[in-house]
Amino acid sequence: MRARRAAAVVAFALLSGSAAAQNAVERVAIKGAQDMIVVPKDWNGGLFIYAHGYTADKRLLAPLPADPSKVPLLLLPGLAFVPPGYASAVTTFRSVGWYVKDAVKDIENLRRYFVKKHGKPKHTYIWGHSGGGMVTEAVIEYFPGTYEGAAPMCGTGAGAWRNFNAALDLRLAYETVCRDVPAARFACRVCSDGKSRCLADAHCPAGQTCGDAEAPAAPEDGLGPECTAFLLDHPETFTESPTSLGGDFVTPPLTACFGDLNPGGAPSAEQAARKDLFLRATQLRESFLATDMFFATIGMAEVVHRRTHGHHPWGNIDVDYASPLLTPAEQTALNAGIPRVAADADAVRYMRRFYEPRGRTRSKVITVHALDDGLVLPENEDKYREAFEAAGTSDRLVQLFTPTGGHCIFLAAWTPALQALTAWVEEGQKPSTASVSPTCGNCLTDQTPGPWGLRVVERRAKGAPVRTLVCSAEPGDCPAGATCVEAQHHCR
């Protein structure tokens, strides 16, 4: 939480100065989304629209405060880190969870409102973090000529379908490793009325008590529908922060299987062995264990029960789990014991539509990603680059990396990256690691992540024809039995 507090402190300072007091601030609600626009007194005619990161916390959807420095933390970067002189606009979107479809509409509604109120900007940019990075990538392809520049940071550039396949892999590996620990099951408890879900007596109707756990749902569902609805209605029961534990719902099962996750915790020998096996099988960073398992439970459940009508956009039929950190015997045992799940074609198509980048845009794009990101793997940028190669738009993409920063907490690079983007668009100065790094205190590195296929297995699924999968002849780039046609950057 320390890094997030630092971001909040910096943002508050930037938004609370005398210059900020001279800005014109406007709040507007458009089709359920709460929006804020800030136009500086010395406006240069340019506009930055910000797409915020993933959250399942519905409290974000409340009307925004009049003071920009007091907007929710998820929105603060979009107001505080934009280069001087540019107008900025942020939106809550109309829904939480896997909001990409709604977010594309809400971003466009906000942009059109701005144009109607203030006139067409001289230059229009969009940027975002994490899930907002994916929204940025989606918007510039759905509206390929609207935004001159874009900066998706720490985004899921490999696409929603691939990233949720990774979440399924985590969940199924967890079920395999922890299957002999009854308290490790992810499930809500049931109130004494036999219907309502709960984690404590206070969650039950008056006079009722919180009883035993419900029967766990199939792991590919994430959670059962009743439990999902309860948790999403009680956001205080979970936390999505990659710098804190998973909250009242996620942490207890993890603790039962792996022991105390806090620094200095003392797991039993059995718990330590299970955690060691799980981390080696998944190649997961231990510090991100609780956050990643949030997405492998509540995150998956929100998609299934609120986005894809009970259908699964993920599957692992015929996937060979071959983490290089496992012994051959362990690989054999994992592949023999892990549950197998078939994806539903309609759900796969939904997740690829919202969204899997194709690189088809006229925007100039700068990405920034930390190499130690354990939530949105930096290998996402490898797949994102392949999409641009397949589309023939590689000249429009510059990818920057920081050696540290975890998930999106590389504050020193935020504004310099945006300034480099404006210089590229407005002055024709294409940026590079060498040109940008000195402007952020040498915060960048020449190192790049490895292929996506080394961390997450590429797979076949109905709704994802092999010929539509991008590649560049790297290990694991195409599903087993397929090859990469390098001239076209597509599998066959």
Side-chain angles (χ1 to χ4, degrees):
M1 292 297 291
R2 190 174 304 161
R4 287 180 175 259
R5 290 195 189 101
V9 169
V10 171
F12 183 85
L14 290 172
L15 289 169
S16 300
S18 58
Q22 300 173 1
N23 295 341
V25 179
E26 181 179 6
R27 292 176 295 164
V28 61
I30 306 175
K31 295 188 176 180
Q34 305 295 324
D35 305 332
M36 178 174 283
I37 295 170
V38 177
V39 180
K41 184 178 181 180
D42 57 347
W43 184 34
N44 63 12
L47 168 67
F48 273 90
I49 297 180
Y50 181 73
H52 71 74
Y54 176 97
T55 182
D57 189 339
K58 66 179 185 179
R59 292 173 293 190
L60 179 70
L61 305 181
L64 298 177
D67 184 349
S69 69
K70 296 180 181 179
V71 301
L73 182 58
L74 276 177
L75 302 181
L76 270 175
L79 299 176
F81 290 89
V82 168
Y86 289 85
S88 56
V90 300
T91 174
T92 63
F93 312 140
R94 70 187 70 181
S95 68
V96 295
W98 197 250
Y99 49 47
V100 179
K101 180 179 180 180
D102 291 337
V104 170
K105 298 175 184 176
D106 294 328
I107 290 286
E108 179 61 7
N109 287 341
L110 176 58
R111 187 194 67 82
R112 291 184 180 187
Y113 177 87
F114 184 95
V115 170
K116 183 176 180 180
K117 182 72 178 287
H118 301 281
K120 183 179 179 180
K122 292 181 180 178
H123 304 284
T124 305
Y125 302 91
I126 183 169
W127 71 300
H129 288 95
S130 191
M134 167 156 281
V135 171
T136 298
E137 293 163 354
V139 167
I140 62 173
E141 294 188 15
Y142 275 116
F143 303 95
T146 298
Y147 296 86
E148 293 167 88
M153 299 190 180
C154 43
T156 50
W161 172 62
R162 290 188 179 95
N163 276 275
F164 272 103
N165 272 324
L168 173 72
D169 292 343
L170 290 179
R171 178 60 180 274
L172 297 182
Y174 176 87
E175 298 290 330
T176 302
V177 171
C178 302
R179 60 164 54 106
D180 295 328
V181 184
R185 302 282 74 78
F186 287 106
C188 292
R189 295 161 65 188
V190 183
C191 297
S192 52
D193 62 7
K195 299 182 298 182
S196 304
R197 293 319 192 254
C198 59
L199 296 184
D201 288 347
H203 297 141
C204 294
Q208 303 291 322
T209 58
C210 190
D212 295 334
E214 64 181 350
E220 61 267 29
D221 289 354
L223 302 167
E226 296 85 1
C227 184
T228 302
F230 163 74
L231 292 169
L232 295 177
D233 281 341
H234 293 82
E236 75 279 1
T237 61
F238 59 83
T239 174
E240 306 145 338
S241 170
T243 54
S244 65
L245 297 182
D248 294 340
F249 180 75
V250 174
T251 300
L254 294 181
T255 302
C257 186
F258 301 136
D260 187 353
L261 300 180
N262 288 292
S268 68
E270 293 81 3
Q271 290 172 328
R274 286 192 292 264
K275 182 168 68 172
D276 174 70
L277 177 60
F278 177 76
L279 293 176
R280 287 188 294 114
T282 61
Q283 303 182 71
L284 180 67
R285 290 180 178 270
E286 182 174 354
S287 59
F288 282 86
L289 199 159
T291 304
D292 281 69
M293 290 308 296
F294 162 85
F295 282 95
T297 53
I298 299 173
M300 288 173 60
E302 192 274 340
V303 170
V304 167
H305 298 300
R306 294 197 171 180
R307 306 291 175 176
T308 59
H309 310 290
H311 296 166
H312 305 120
W314 37 73
N316 68 337
I317 300 298
D318 297 328
V319 167
D320 179 28
Y321 293 99
S323 167
L325 304 181
L326 295 178
T327 67
E330 288 172 331
Q331 290 180 12
T332 298
L334 178 62
N335 279 289
I338 201 165
R340 298 292 171 171
V341 177
D344 295 300
D346 57 345
V348 170
R349 285 189 286 266
Y350 174 89
M351 293 303 281
R352 298 189 76 199
R353 187 179 178 191
F354 303 110
Y355 193 69
E356 184 173 314
R358 272 84 174 172
R360 299 168 187 166
T361 181
R362 294 198 290 275
S363 299
K364 294 177 177 177
V365 183
I366 295 179
T367 68
V368 188
H369 217 122
L371 294 180
D372 64 346
D373 191 337
L375 179 58
V376 177
L377 301 178
E379 285 81 0
N380 272 271
E381 303 299 343
D382 179 70
K383 268 301 173 196
Y384 194 53
R385 170 184 53 79
E386 290 178 1
F388 277 70
E389 290 172 344
T393 54
S394 297
D395 61 323
R396 295 187 170 274
L397 177 65
V398 170
Q399 295 183 294
L400 306 176
F401 297 94
T402 62
T404 59
H407 185 54
C408 302
I409 310 299
F410 37 80
L411 276 67
W414 291 2
T415 301
L418 299 183
Q419 291 172 326
L421 181 63
T422 61
W424 188 10
V425 168
E426 299 173 28
E427 302 170 28
Q429 301 175 9
K430 187 172 183 177
S432 65
T433 297
S435 68
V436 178
S437 194
T439 69
C440 64
N442 295 317
C443 69
L444 303 179
T445 178
D446 288 323
Q447 291 183 306
T448 58
W452 172 261
L454 294 181
R455 294 289 294 273
V456 180
V457 178
E458 189 74 308
R459 60 205 73 190
R460 297 175 184 269
K462 293 180 179 179
V466 168
R467 66 182 183 277
T468 67
L469 304 180
V470 296
C471 62
S472 60
E474 297 174 339
D477 239 3
C478 295
T483 59
C484 182
V485 181
E486 294 186 61
Q488 300 174 5
H489 293 285
H490 279 284
C491 302
R492 70 174 180 188

mmCIF file of all heavy atoms in Angstrom, residues 291-308:
data_model
loop_
_atom_site.group_PDB
_atom_site.id
_atom_site.type_symbol
_atom_site.label_atom_id
_atom_site.label_comp_id
_atom_site.label_asym_id
_atom_site.label_seq_id
_atom_site.Cartn_x
_atom_site.Cartn_y
_atom_site.Cartn_z
ATOM 1 N N THR A 291 -3.316 -11.381 -4.811
ATOM 2 C CA THR A 291 -3.964 -10.588 -5.854
ATOM 3 C C THR A 291 -4.299 -11.437 -7.068
ATOM 4 O O THR A 291 -5.383 -11.330 -7.638
ATOM 5 C CB THR A 291 -3.060 -9.422 -6.259
ATOM 6 O OG1 THR A 291 -2.740 -8.648 -5.104
ATOM 7 C CG2 THR A 291 -3.745 -8.542 -7.273
ATOM 8 N N ASP A 292 -3.361 -12.282 -7.488
ATOM 9 C CA ASP A 292 -3.634 -13.146 -8.633
ATOM 10 C C ASP A 292 -4.780 -14.109 -8.335
ATOM 11 O O ASP A 292 -5.598 -14.410 -9.219
ATOM 12 C CB ASP A 292 -2.373 -13.920 -9.015
ATOM 13 C CG ASP A 292 -1.406 -13.067 -9.827
ATOM 14 O OD1 ASP A 292 -0.834 -12.134 -9.250
ATOM 15 O OD2 ASP A 292 -1.234 -13.330 -11.026
ATOM 16 N N MET A 293 -4.874 -14.587 -7.104
ATOM 17 C CA MET A 293 -5.956 -15.497 -6.765
ATOM 18 C C MET A 293 -7.284 -14.757 -6.611
ATOM 19 O O MET A 293 -8.345 -15.372 -6.720
ATOM 20 C CB MET A 293 -5.617 -16.288 -5.504
ATOM 21 C CG MET A 293 -4.506 -17.312 -5.707
ATOM 22 S SD MET A 293 -4.775 -18.440 -7.112
ATOM 23 C CE MET A 293 -6.247 -19.312 -6.563
ATOM 24 N N PHE A 294 -7.262 -13.455 -6.370
ATOM 25 C CA PHE A 294 -8.503 -12.679 -6.463
ATOM 26 C C PHE A 294 -9.076 -12.805 -7.868
ATOM 27 O O PHE A 294 -10.274 -13.052 -8.056
ATOM 28 C CB PHE A 294 -8.253 -11.207 -6.129
ATOM 29 C CG PHE A 294 -9.358 -10.301 -6.612
ATOM 30 C CD1 PHE A 294 -10.484 -10.096 -5.842
ATOM 31 C CD2 PHE A 294 -9.297 -9.693 -7.858
ATOM 32 C CE1 PHE A 294 -11.527 -9.297 -6.300
ATOM 33 C CE2 PHE A 294 -10.333 -8.891 -8.328
ATOM 34 C CZ PHE A 294 -11.454 -8.693 -7.541
ATOM 35 N N PHE A 295 -8.227 -12.635 -8.894
ATOM 36 C CA PHE A 295 -8.707 -12.726 -10.271
ATOM 37 C C PHE A 295 -9.072 -14.161 -10.647
ATOM 38 O O PHE A 295 -9.921 -14.371 -11.514
ATOM 39 C CB PHE A 295 -7.668 -12.157 -11.232
ATOM 40 C CG PHE A 295 -7.668 -10.658 -11.258
ATOM 41 C CD1 PHE A 295 -6.784 -9.943 -10.467
ATOM 42 C CD2 PHE A 295 -8.573 -9.960 -12.024
ATOM 43 C CE1 PHE A 295 -6.796 -8.556 -10.455
ATOM 44 C CE2 PHE A 295 -8.601 -8.579 -12.028
ATOM 45 C CZ PHE A 295 -7.705 -7.868 -11.239
ATOM 46 N N ALA A 296 -8.457 -15.139 -9.981
ATOM 47 C CA ALA A 296 -8.762 -16.545 -10.255
ATOM 48 C C ALA A 296 -9.980 -17.026 -9.475
ATOM 49 O O ALA A 296 -10.322 -18.212 -9.536
ATOM 50 C CB ALA A 296 -7.553 -17.415 -9.919
ATOM 51 N N THR A 297 -10.645 -16.125 -8.777
ATOM 52 C CA THR A 297 -11.879 -16.458 -8.050
ATOM 53 C C THR A 297 -12.950 -15.417 -8.374
ATOM 54 O O THR A 297 -13.755 -15.616 -9.279
ATOM 55 C CB THR A 297 -11.613 -16.527 -6.526
ATOM 56 O OG1 THR A 297 -10.981 -15.301 -6.087
ATOM 57 C CG2 THR A 297 -10.717 -17.696 -6.170
ATOM 58 N N ILE A 298 -12.918 -14.295 -7.695
ATOM 59 C CA ILE A 298 -13.934 -13.257 -7.883
ATOM 60 C C ILE A 298 -13.878 -12.683 -9.298
ATOM 61 O O ILE A 298 -14.914 -12.449 -9.927
ATOM 62 C CB ILE A 298 -13.767 -12.143 -6.831
ATOM 63 C CG1 ILE A 298 -13.941 -12.722 -5.420
ATOM 64 C CG2 ILE A 298 -14.778 -11.026 -7.065
ATOM 65 C CD1 ILE A 298 -13.621 -11.744 -4.305
ATOM 66 N N GLY A 299 -12.668 -12.457 -9.821
ATOM 67 C CA GLY A 299 -12.552 -11.915 -11.171
ATOM 68 C C GLY A 299 -13.154 -12.832 -12.213
ATOM 69 O O GLY A 299 -13.910 -12.397 -13.089
ATOM 70 N N MET A 300 -12.836 -14.132 -12.141
ATOM 71 C CA MET A 300 -13.413 -15.097 -13.076
ATOM 72 C C MET A 300 -14.927 -15.188 -12.902
ATOM 73 O O MET A 300 -15.682 -15.246 -13.879
ATOM 74 C CB MET A 300 -12.780 -16.471 -12.865
ATOM 75 C CG MET A 300 -11.341 -16.582 -13.345
ATOM 76 S SD MET A 300 -10.567 -18.166 -12.899
ATOM 77 C CE MET A 300 -11.667 -19.334 -13.730
ATOM 78 N N ALA A 301 -15.376 -15.198 -11.649
ATOM 79 C CA ALA A 301 -16.805 -15.343 -11.375
ATOM 80 C C ALA A 301 -17.601 -14.163 -11.923
ATOM 81 O O ALA A 301 -18.707 -14.332 -12.446
ATOM 82 C CB ALA A 301 -17.032 -15.493 -9.874
ATOM 83 N N GLU A 302 -17.051 -12.954 -11.812
ATOM 84 C CA GLU A 302 -17.756 -11.777 -12.339
ATOM 85 C C GLU A 302 -17.936 -11.901 -13.844
ATOM 86 O O GLU A 302 -18.997 -11.569 -14.385
ATOM 87 C CB GLU A 302 -16.978 -10.512 -11.987
ATOM 88 C CG GLU A 302 -17.754 -9.219 -12.227
ATOM 89 C CD GLU A 302 -17.645 -8.687 -13.649
ATOM 90 O OE1 GLU A 302 -16.685 -9.069 -14.361
ATOM 91 O OE2 GLU A 302 -18.505 -7.886 -14.061
ATOM 92 N N VAL A 303 -16.930 -12.404 -14.535
ATOM 93 C CA VAL A 303 -17.038 -12.581 -15.987
ATOM 94 C C VAL A 303 -18.115 -13.609 -16.317
ATOM 95 O O VAL A 303 -18.998 -13.372 -17.156
ATOM 96 C CB VAL A 303 -15.677 -13.005 -16.580
ATOM 97 C CG1 VAL A 303 -15.838 -13.438 -18.035
ATOM 98 C CG2 VAL A 303 -14.668 -11.868 -16.482
ATOM 99 N N VAL A 304 -18.056 -14.768 -15.672
ATOM 100 C CA VAL A 304 -18.997 -15.856 -15.989
ATOM 101 C C VAL A 304 -20.440 -15.467 -15.697
ATOM 102 O O VAL A 304 -21.344 -15.686 -16.516
ATOM 103 C CB VAL A 304 -18.622 -17.133 -15.203
ATOM 104 C CG1 VAL A 304 -19.750 -18.163 -15.273
ATOM 105 C CG2 VAL A 304 -17.349 -17.741 -15.770
ATOM 106 N N HIS A 305 -20.662 -14.873 -14.537
ATOM 107 C CA HIS A 305 -22.043 -14.653 -14.103
ATOM 108 C C HIS A 305 -22.615 -13.308 -14.532
ATOM 109 O O HIS A 305 -23.844 -13.141 -14.500
ATOM 110 C CB HIS A 305 -22.130 -14.800 -12.586
ATOM 111 C CG HIS A 305 -21.749 -16.172 -12.099
ATOM 112 N ND1 HIS A 305 -22.419 -17.312 -12.498
ATOM 113 C CD2 HIS A 305 -20.747 -16.588 -11.282
ATOM 114 C CE1 HIS A 305 -21.866 -18.373 -11.927
ATOM 115 N NE2 HIS A 305 -20.849 -17.967 -11.199
ATOM 116 N N ARG A 306 -21.761 -12.360 -14.969
ATOM 117 C CA ARG A 306 -22.283 -11.057 -15.350
ATOM 118 C C ARG A 306 -21.938 -10.638 -16.776
ATOM 119 O O ARG A 306 -22.475 -9.638 -17.254
ATOM 120 C CB ARG A 306 -21.791 -9.981 -14.360
ATOM 121 C CG ARG A 306 -22.348 -10.170 -12.963
ATOM 122 C CD ARG A 306 -22.209 -8.938 -12.119
ATOM 123 N NE ARG A 306 -22.936 -9.076 -10.854
ATOM 124 C CZ ARG A 306 -22.988 -8.143 -9.909
ATOM 125 N NH1 ARG A 306 -22.351 -6.997 -10.088
ATOM 126 N NH2 ARG A 306 -23.675 -8.350 -8.802
ATOM 127 N N ARG A 307 -21.053 -11.376 -17.441
ATOM 128 C CA ARG A 307 -20.626 -10.949 -18.772
ATOM 129 C C ARG A 307 -20.887 -12.006 -19.845
ATOM 130 O O ARG A 307 -21.228 -11.659 -20.970
ATOM 131 C CB ARG A 307 -19.121 -10.598 -18.765
ATOM 132 C CG ARG A 307 -18.721 -9.567 -17.713
ATOM 133 C CD ARG A 307 -19.262 -8.194 -18.000
ATOM 134 N NE ARG A 307 -18.957 -7.266 -16.899
ATOM 135 C CZ ARG A 307 -19.236 -5.972 -16.901
ATOM 136 N NH1 ARG A 307 -19.807 -5.425 -17.955
ATOM 137 N NH2 ARG A 307 -18.942 -5.210 -15.858
ATOM 138 N N THR A 308 -20.680 -13.280 -19.532
ATOM 139 C CA THR A 308 -20.757 -14.315 -20.569
ATOM 140 C C THR A 308 -21.893 -15.301 -20.327
ATOM 141 O O THR A 308 -21.881 -16.407 -20.873
ATOM 142 C CB THR A 308 -19.413 -15.066 -20.683
ATOM 143 O OG1 THR A 308 -19.088 -15.664 -19.417
ATOM 144 C CG2 THR A 308 -18.303 -14.117 -21.094
#
